[in-house]
Amino acid sequence: MKFSLNRELLLKPLLLVSGAVERKSTLPILSNILFDVSGQSLTLTATDLELEMVAYATVDNQSDNGQVTIPARKLLDICKSLPDDSMLTFETENDVIKISTGRSKYSLSTLPASDFPNIEQWKGDVEFKLMKSELLRLIESTHFSMANQDVRYYLNGMSIETEGHEIRSVATDGHRLAICKIANPELELPARQVIVPRKGILEIIRLLDPVDEDIQVFLGSNHIRIIDAEFSFTSKLVDGRFPDYRRVLPRNGDKILNANKDVLRQVLSRASILSNEKFKGVRLNFGSTELKITANNPEQEQAEEVIEIDFPYEEVEIGFNVSYVLDVLNAIKETDVKFTLADANSSVVIEGGESGEALYVVMPMRL
């Protein structure tokens, strides 16, 4: 096997697939990337047995087609440190791959390509096209509410749902809930729900750019696959039932507060500095003309912030984990936010002022 290509043409696909490389694996082959040369095309594949990333490049093939696995981290570090426009030549010799460019030469040990795991072939039973910007918005609007290493393993991921003209993303860690939906009249989708694991969701965010280009999504019984001109991403799904979140959506909210998102975010951020580091609790006192936000910590330090509001209801005092509310305010893109609340013991619903595309529920906290 012998082929050559420009550093820039290799670096982009190499960076794309590197997210799926297993760092601390008991299987040495998972630290390698599979290079598959066929004609003038090179396919790079990396996997950690849960995720699989495939990317493509064009090469100058100077001998037979073939496959080889190369240590990912070392190859990436070499490529990053080479000058721009370097021409790299790869040549296999026994169990070694030799990389040469100008007067630089590197020899890396390889592992047999036949040992490289291949995610089994499968067919998606739900397929749809979406713009990259839409898929990114769907995931970024809710991903921060996923649980992290919860014993309820089905919460350590995101529910992706299709139904009719709609695609929804839902995430919850038991204390908060985030829902975002995108409607497209051109779609006609069956009712389907899958749980994509946390690592897969974070990898999708890394891969997608907020551009108006189409991307294909396939949902199977055990996998989700996203295909673009530059890459193919596959993730196993979490085997479990996602909780019926519709049952926990508060229905008794009769008090509505409309506020400027940035003003609210700034006062909550300042108050959070003196909240208890472990519980992050802040107290919100809703009065008819002002909202008073207070926080204190075990060192007897206290913060108090007041903003003017229009709240023509009886006074309400609610405690919240301030991090949860700030996460929501950071995710909402609109200038105004709407809080719908009932009483001190009920969850609050937070939405953007206009679109209603995303909805967030935050449980109260006893302080």
Side-chain angles (χ1 to χ4, degrees):
M1 237 175 116
K2 186 179 180 183
F3 60 92
S4 304
L5 78 166
N6 187 290
R7 168 188 177 268
E8 274 60 47
L9 291 178
L10 178 61
L11 194 55
K12 191 171 183 187
L14 209 49
L15 287 166
L16 280 174
V17 301
S18 62
V21 175
E22 189 59 71
R23 302 274 162 82
K24 307 183 192 77
S25 174
T26 48
L27 278 174
I29 192 96
L30 297 184
S31 303
N32 285 20
I33 293 174
L34 176 68
F35 276 58
D36 186 345
V37 176
S38 177
Q40 303 305 309
S41 66
L42 166 66
T43 305
L44 292 80
T45 309
T47 183
D48 64 0
L49 302 181
E50 297 293 320
L51 307 179
E52 182 185 72
M53 268 299 309
V54 181
Y56 313 97
T58 304
V59 296
D60 174 18
N61 186 3
Q62 292 148 20
S63 79
D64 301 336
N65 296 340
Q67 294 183 323
V68 63
T69 77
I70 305 175
R73 183 60 37 207
K74 291 170 187 167
L75 179 61
L76 189 56
D77 288 347
I78 290 168
C79 279
K80 280 180 177 173
S81 58
L82 287 170
D84 294 353
D85 290 328
S86 299
M87 197 69 185
L88 285 80
T89 300
F90 290 75
E91 190 168 3
T92 53
E93 194 176 291
N94 299 326
D95 296 337
V96 171
I97 185 139
K98 295 189 170 179
I99 307 165
S100 54
T101 170
R103 301 184 70 174
S104 309
K105 289 187 172 65
Y106 304 90
S107 294
L108 294 176
S109 58
T110 66
L111 290 168
S114 54
D115 293 349
F116 196 83
N118 186 8
I119 288 187
E120 71 268 18
Q121 290 301 314
W122 57 278
K123 201 160 166 47
D125 43 17
V126 178
E127 297 177 23
F128 55 90
K129 274 188 179 168
L130 204 58
M131 282 195 293
K132 286 184 187 178
S133 53
E134 289 181 321
L135 184 57
L136 192 59
R137 194 166 76 239
L138 197 67
I139 289 174
E140 284 193 325
S141 297
T142 56
H143 80 282
F144 56 86
S145 291
M146 294 186 292
N148 191 6
Q149 297 180 328
D150 197 297
V151 291
R152 297 162 295 179
Y153 61 93
Y154 47 82
L155 298 184
N156 300 321
M158 183 183 290
S159 174
I160 303 284
E161 304 172 11
T162 61
E163 190 175 4
H165 305 307
E166 262 188 17
I167 302 164
R168 283 185 299 276
S169 65
V170 188
T172 179
D173 60 6
H175 303 287
R176 53 182 169 171
L177 168 70
I179 305 168
C180 181
K181 62 175 187 284
I182 282 179
N184 183 337
E186 292 175 17
L187 293 173
E188 196 53 65
L189 296 165
R192 189 70 198 280
Q193 183 182 48
V194 301
I195 307 174
V196 183
R198 181 186 179 84
K199 184 176 178 184
I201 290 295
L202 298 178
E203 191 60 22
I204 293 170
I205 293 173
R206 187 182 77 89
L207 290 170
L208 293 179
D209 296 317
V211 291
D212 292 345
E213 292 173 12
D214 276 350
I215 197 161
Q216 274 192 303
V217 182
F218 299 84
L219 304 180
S221 51
N222 300 314
H223 296 87
I224 179 172
R225 180 167 284 166
I226 295 173
I227 294 182
D228 177 43
E230 294 182 330
F231 66 83
S232 162
F233 165 84
T234 309
S235 170
K236 283 188 176 176
L237 300 174
V238 176
D239 185 16
R241 273 188 73 77
F242 202 75
D244 183 3
Y245 56 88
R246 291 178 181 85
R247 285 182 28 220
V248 300
L249 289 176
R251 308 255 184 249
N252 59 343
D254 54 359
K255 303 173 184 67
I256 291 173
L257 166 70
N258 289 296
N260 179 284
K261 179 190 72 176
D262 289 335
V263 170
L264 197 55
R265 185 169 59 188
Q266 285 160 12
V267 295
L268 284 169
S269 295
R270 291 199 296 268
S272 73
I273 297 166
L274 296 186
S275 66
N276 183 315
E277 283 187 14
K278 189 174 177 191
F279 301 111
K280 287 288 181 192
V282 295
R283 197 177 263 109
L284 277 68
N285 290 80
F286 295 84
S288 56
T289 59
E290 61 180 38
L291 168 63
K292 188 163 84 174
I293 296 161
T294 52
N296 50 40
N297 60 28
E299 289 87 62
Q300 307 300 313
E301 297 165 332
Q302 186 165 354
E304 183 177 299
E305 292 274 355
V306 178
I307 56 171
E308 290 183 11
I309 58 168
D310 178 21
F311 192 73
Y313 312 97
E314 62 192 67
E315 292 188 2
V316 183
E317 180 183 295
I318 309 185
F320 287 115
N321 179 323
V322 68
S323 302
Y324 293 171
V325 182
L326 286 171
D327 281 345
V328 170
L329 296 179
N330 286 327
I332 290 173
K333 301 289 186 277
E334 290 144 70
T335 49
D336 292 322
V337 290
K338 183 171 89 171
F339 281 63
T340 307
L341 33 121
D343 53 51
N345 302 313
S346 300
S347 297
V348 65
V349 177
I350 309 173
E351 298 167 88
E354 295 102 44
S355 76
E357 191 176 81
L359 177 145
Y360 304 94
V361 180
V362 180
M363 283 173 68
M365 197 177 167
R366 291 191 193 283
L367 291 172

